[in-house]
């Protein structure tokens, strides 16, 4: 689960952790292959929010949880890597 806070800064969006939100998928323009933002599930309001951006940065913490023994935190489950893979 990814939990995000959207911070607007210099015409792009930075996604950072907060409670109550889960990043569902990235929004991709199929013609240009450009990432246009993200769909975020707002669990508190029980709705999907759309966040558009000119630049999208995934800082997702890796996938250490795929190994039995790791020093990575439990939340490093590879969800961000999977999101990037799905959009190509």
């Amino acid at each position: 689960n990814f939990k995000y806070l959207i911070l607007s800064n210099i015409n792009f969006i930075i996604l950072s952790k907060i409670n109550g939100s889960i990043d569902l998928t990235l929004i991709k323009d199929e013609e240009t292959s450009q990432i246009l933002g993200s769909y975020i599930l707002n669990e508190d309001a029980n709705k999907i929010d759309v966040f558009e951006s000119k630049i999208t940065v995934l800082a997702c913490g890796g996938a250490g949880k795929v190994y039995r023994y790791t020093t990575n935190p439990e939340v490093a489950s590879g969800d961000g890597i999977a999101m990037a893979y799905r959009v190509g």
Side-chain angles (χ1 to χ4, degrees), residues 1 14-15 17-18 26-28 34-35 43 46 51 57-58 62 66-67 76-78 80-83 85 87:
N1 288 335
I14 299 172
L15 303 176
K17 283 180 147 182
I18 63 165
L26 298 171
I27 303 167
K28 178 181 177 182
Q34 180 180 355
I35 302 302
E43 292 180 313
N46 198 28
F51 292 97
V57 177
L58 287 177
V66 300
Y67 301 103
S77 58
I81 295 167
M83 283 182 4
Y85 179 79
V87 296

Side-chain angles (χ1 to χ4, degrees), residues 2-6 15-18 21-23 40 83:
F2 280 107
K3 298 174 182 184
Y4 294 101
L5 167 68
I6 305 306
L15 303 176
S16 302
K17 283 180 147 182
I18 63 165
S21 298
I22 298 173
D23 197 340
I40 309 259
M83 283 182 4

